[in-house]
Amino acid sequence: LEANFSVIQKEDGSYNGIITVIHDVTEQEKIEQERREFVANVSHELRTPLTSMKSYLEALEDGALHDPTIAPKFLNVAQTETERMIRLVNDLLQLSKMDSKDYRLYLDTIDMTKLLNSVIDRYELVSDNDKIYFHRDIPSHTTFATVDRDKVIQVLDNILSNAIKYSPEGGEISISLKENEKDFSISVNDEGVGIPAENLPQVFDRFYRVDKARSRKLGGTGLGLAIAKQIVSAHGGSIWVSSEWNIGTRITLTLPYSAEKGGE
Ligand code: ADP
């Protein structure tokens, strides 16, 4: 704690009182520390792909450009790294928008059953080659919900793309939609690598990854679940994870049938 004293003096010079202002320095320091860590993380995340691109471009300049087998591979790496940086910058922009005071939800009443099915359809199409099986436990009737459609799609995208990323070939991903009394819940269950129990509390933190190298190789930014959590809480819902190392992971979220405008 830090205290500042100001003495209040009357016009004739006599003292009237003292004002004491006490700051909670620990809280301020914590925020400052988090900010520093965040900037360091961002710089590091951008430097890694940039350094790698630089060395591939140098190799191309030093002659690899004229090697018909190597050149396309090196250009491909440069392209993949650029795409990852774009994803990272987009994720960062998202988070910064969410952190700002005028963060708004654009609410629409939609059919959640239809929305969830359409997102899964999209993944089912593209992951045909990866031999991932999708199992749906979704009601056949309409489930009305008032939510920010695009943001809910983003949450589902982040969770489903993780389930696919961390699944083995032939793995099954089960998605369920359950209607509860006051809210509805969606859960995504995979048979992937899982998350060790001691790492579970951190997976929603910005930039946190259980296995940094693996996440990078799979194109991750370490921000997907942090963004998902922020969107879900802006809707007044909650999200949590349960997992067993080498068995699989389940992400569950609940959302109220009708979110309030204006977010948190
Ligand atoms: P990333 O872009 O690295 O996937 P996320 O914020 O989406 O970042 O997830 C954070 C970390 O949580 C991941 O790096 C991974 O270690 C772990 N994780 C998330 N989803 C899964 C999953 N379905 N199976 C195993 N690990 C997961």
Side-chain angles (χ1 to χ4, degrees), residues 155 159 204 225 228-230 232 237-241 251-254:
V155 171
I159 296 172
F204 293 101
L225 286 182
K229 184 172 183 166
Q230 211 145 347
V232 169
S238 42
I239 182 167
W240 64 94
V241 56
I251 302 266
T252 310
L253 63 90
T254 59

Side-chain angles (χ1 to χ4, degrees), residues 91 158-159 161-167 188 190 192-195 202-212 214-216 219-227 241 243 248-251:
D91 281 358
N158 292 3
I159 296 172
S161 63
N162 276 347
I164 294 168
K165 264 195 302 199
Y166 300 104
S167 276
V188 176
D190 67 56
V193 291
I195 302 166
Q202 285 122 292
V203 293
F204 293 101
D205 291 352
R206 295 175 183 192
F207 291 117
Y208 184 80
R209 293 131 151 175
V210 177
D211 181 342
K212 275 203 157 51
R214 184 191 195 111
S215 155
R216 284 222 182 83
T221 62
L223 295 173
L225 286 182
I227 291 175
V241 56
S243 183
T249 302
R250 176 194 291 268
I251 302 266

Side-chain angles (χ1 to χ4, degrees), residues 6-19:
S6 321
V7 178
I8 306 170
Q9 241 173 334
K10 281 188 189 166
E11 272 174 23
D12 64 4
S14 67
Y15 296 115
N16 209 2
I18 296 175
I19 299 176

Side-chain angles (χ1 to χ4, degrees), residues 135-148:
H135 176 80
R136 307 180 199 211
D137 183 6
I138 299 171
S140 46
H141 57 258
T142 310
T143 306
F144 285 114
T146 306
V147 294
D148 185 319

Side-chain angles (χ1 to χ4, degrees), residues 61-78:
E61 197 178 34
D62 289 347
L65 187 61
H66 305 293
D67 184 320
T69 51
I70 294 179
K73 280 190 195 140
F74 282 15
L75 286 171
N76 189 265
V77 174

Side-chain angles (χ1 to χ4, degrees), residues 168-215:
E169 202 185 294
E172 185 176 279
I173 297 175
S174 312
I175 301 113
S176 75
L177 170 62
K178 295 256 176 306
E179 292 160 296
N180 315 316
E181 205 179 305
K182 293 208 175 77
D183 55 22
F184 62 92
S185 46
I186 294 175
S187 77
V188 176
N189 196 64
D190 67 56
E191 302 176 332
V193 291
I195 302 166
E198 69 264 29
N199 305 108
L200 282 175
Q202 285 122 292
V203 293
F204 293 101
D205 291 352
R206 295 175 183 192
F207 291 117
Y208 184 80
R209 293 131 151 175
V210 177
D211 181 342
K212 275 203 157 51
R214 184 191 195 111
S215 155

